Amino acid sequence: MKIVLPAQTVNIDTSTGGVDRIWYERMQQLAAFANLFSEVNPKTLTDGQVLIWNNATKKFLPGAN
């Protein structure tokens, strides 16, 4: 998935106080991507440890070194 943010000239908010649709969609994509790593605690990772895709949880989990 490639996430492309709108240009700097595209306002994030609308005149009605909402979030512009294009920004909302991109923020949803970023949140979905970040959630793939929600079970990973960077403080507990060791040197050389890899992340493995867990198909049951649909997330990346720490794997073996």
Side-chain angles (χ1 to χ4, degrees):
M1 166 175 46
K2 183 177 180 181
I3 300 171
V4 179
L5 296 176
Q8 290 179 339
T9 56
V10 177
N11 290 331
I12 195 166
D13 56 346
T14 62
S15 59
T16 60
V19 176
D20 186 276
R21 180 185 56 80
I22 223 156
W23 276 103
Y24 181 79
E25 290 170 1
R26 296 315 188 275
M27 287 188 282
Q28 287 294 97
Q29 290 174 339
L30 287 170
F33 179 75
N35 284 334
L36 294 176
F37 300 92
S38 64
E39 303 295 323
V40 176
N41 181 352
K43 293 180 181 178
T44 62
L45 292 176
T46 59
D47 286 341
Q49 189 169 20
V50 297
L51 297 178
I52 297 175
W53 178 253
N54 183 305
N55 210 30
T57 63
K58 303 290 188 219
K59 294 182 178 184
F60 286 102
L61 300 174
N65 290 2

